[in-house]
Amino acid sequence: MTTTPAHDKRIAEMTFASVYPHYITKVEKKGRTVAELHQVITWLTGYTETDLTQLLKTKVTFETFFKNATLHPNAKYITGVICGYRIEAIETPLTQQVRYLDKLVDELAKGRKMDKILRQPK
């Protein structure tokens, strides 16, 4: 699926710090914890807790956030629809990576088991 250049630019320029509080609200409203949210983020990106704190303080864009991340090799198994887009069909890598994160947060909020969210082999 092709996204528009304007859509991709808007995502690239959005800061991780501006979206992070919404992730917290979403998961806590459904009875999940910030620790679980961090587990999901660190699994996907390879960042540590210290890294996350620093990234939030410096208000990095999603472009920088994912440029410096080490995406988990199993991230390619994150599929489904988020924000009206089929994740596996998104052609712009950065937009796809942001939607990976959105999908994982969504699954966490919906009560999915952590081993399923983190795409661990059985």
Side-chain angles (χ1 to χ4, degrees):
M1 173 176 283
T2 306
T3 55
T4 66
H7 177 265
D8 294 333
K9 184 176 190 255
R10 193 178 80 237
I11 285 180
E13 293 174 349
M14 197 179 312
T15 64
F16 174 67
S18 69
V19 178
Y20 179 75
H22 299 288
Y23 290 154
I24 292 174
T25 301
K26 186 173 195 166
V27 299
E28 286 184 335
K29 195 186 304 185
K30 299 292 186 163
R32 301 306 283 260
T33 66
V34 173
E36 289 172 310
L37 173 62
H38 285 190
Q39 183 180 358
V40 166
I41 295 170
T42 58
W43 176 85
L44 178 64
T45 63
Y47 289 129
T48 66
E49 288 283 329
T50 306
D51 294 335
L52 287 178
T53 301
Q54 187 62 32
L55 291 165
L56 288 165
K57 278 184 189 174
T58 57
K59 296 183 174 157
V60 298
T61 62
F62 269 120
E63 183 173 36
T64 301
F65 181 84
F66 280 104
K67 181 181 175 186
N68 296 325
T70 304
L71 216 58
H72 195 283
N74 289 353
K76 63 186 174 205
Y77 299 118
I78 302 168
T79 60
V81 177
I82 192 85
C83 300
Y85 293 95
R86 180 149 287 287
I87 295 170
E88 59 272 26
I90 296 172
E91 295 174 0
T92 308
L94 176 61
T95 301
Q96 186 178 51
Q97 292 164 355
V98 172
R99 296 303 181 203
Y100 283 161
L101 181 55
D102 291 344
K103 183 68 172 176
L104 295 180
V105 171
D106 225 31
E107 290 177 356
L108 182 65
K110 288 180 178 176
R112 195 165 192 205
K113 291 183 180 189
M114 195 60 80
D115 65 327
K116 298 285 186 189
I117 296 170
L118 303 183
R119 286 16 184 216
Q120 299 298 325
K122 292 183 179 188

